[in-house]
Amino acid sequence: MPHPPSSPLATGSRVTIRSFTLADGPEFTARARESKDLHRPWLFPPDNEEAYADYAGRLIEDPARAGFLVCEKGSGDIAGFININNIVRGAFRCGALGYGAFAHAAGRGLMREGLELVIGYAFGPLALHRLEINAQPGNAASIALARGAGFRLEGFSPNMIYIDGAWRDHERWALTTEMRG
């Protein structure tokens, strides 16, 4: 798939992270459609141009959000996405992570590497102190990614987030700059 020009924000051995652009819509939505079986019932990324434009527009324009595309280093193919939502500045300096791999990239360790890059960017240029992940208890892949990146389980919240027509329970995971050493 053709890739719009975009500057990497950070580069690892196999992936780069970069900001969302509106021009990423065709590839992102095609990947989302290809990945429905992987994502359901946990995640519902935009799978058409109109929904993508709204989604990406919020990530691009809202200072309380930062969106990152995880791209394969050689091809530039979008492997997944990691967003920092609900960014709070001041004394809290915290954000909530949401993420998803696309089917062609799942299970290859690309999101793990991408998450490390996003954590470094969040604790570096974004000057955050704490990142949180809220994962549904049955979402083993999401929990494994959080645990593998060093997040600690801090609690359980019943009926926390409205997803797919119902309020869903979530485990709360967190990472602070001090935990990174």
Side-chain angles (χ1 to χ4, degrees), residues 5 32 56 63 106 127 139 141 165:
N139 190 342

Short mmCIF file of all heavy atoms in Angstrom, two decimals, residues 5 32 56 63 106 127 139 141 165:
data_model
loop_
_atom_site.label_atom_id
_atom_site.label_comp_id
_atom_site.label_asym_id
_atom_site.label_seq_id
_atom_site.Cartn_x
_atom_site.Cartn_y
_atom_site.Cartn_z
N PRO A 5 4.18 10.59 3.02
CA PRO A 5 5.41 10.99 3.70
C PRO A 5 5.10 11.47 5.11
O PRO A 5 4.13 12.19 5.32
CB PRO A 5 5.94 12.13 2.82
CG PRO A 5 4.76 12.63 2.07
CD PRO A 5 3.81 11.47 1.93
N ALA A 32 -8.09 -2.10 9.16
CA ALA A 32 -9.14 -2.30 10.17
C ALA A 32 -10.18 -3.31 9.68
O ALA A 32 -10.61 -4.18 10.44
CB ALA A 32 -9.80 -0.97 10.53
N ALA A 56 -9.06 10.39 13.28
CA ALA A 56 -7.72 10.96 13.12
C ALA A 56 -7.74 12.46 13.40
O ALA A 56 -6.79 13.00 13.99
CB ALA A 56 -7.18 10.68 11.72
N PRO A 63 -5.33 18.66 21.99
CA PRO A 63 -4.10 18.60 22.77
C PRO A 63 -4.14 17.57 23.90
O PRO A 63 -3.10 17.24 24.47
CB PRO A 63 -3.94 20.02 23.32
CG PRO A 63 -5.30 20.62 23.25
CD PRO A 63 -6.03 19.94 22.12
N ALA A 106 -0.01 -9.05 13.83
CA ALA A 106 -0.26 -9.62 15.16
C ALA A 106 0.69 -10.78 15.44
O ALA A 106 1.00 -11.58 14.56
CB ALA A 106 -1.71 -10.07 15.26
N ALA A 127 6.69 14.77 28.18
CA ALA A 127 6.91 15.10 29.60
C ALA A 127 5.81 14.56 30.52
O ALA A 127 5.47 15.19 31.52
CB ALA A 127 7.08 16.61 29.79
N ASN A 139 -9.25 -9.91 27.64
CA ASN A 139 -8.41 -9.53 26.51
C ASN A 139 -6.95 -9.89 26.83
O ASN A 139 -6.14 -9.05 27.21
CB ASN A 139 -8.57 -8.04 26.20
CG ASN A 139 -7.91 -7.64 24.91
OD1 ASN A 139 -7.07 -8.35 24.37
ND2 ASN A 139 -8.30 -6.48 24.40
N ALA A 141 -4.35 -10.69 25.03
CA ALA A 141 -3.27 -10.05 24.25
C ALA A 141 -2.98 -8.65 24.79
O ALA A 141 -1.81 -8.26 24.91
CB ALA A 141 -3.64 -10.00 22.77
N GLY A 165 -22.10 -1.51 23.08
CA GLY A 165 -23.46 -1.54 23.62
C GLY A 165 -23.60 -1.91 25.08
O GLY A 165 -24.71 -2.10 25.56
#
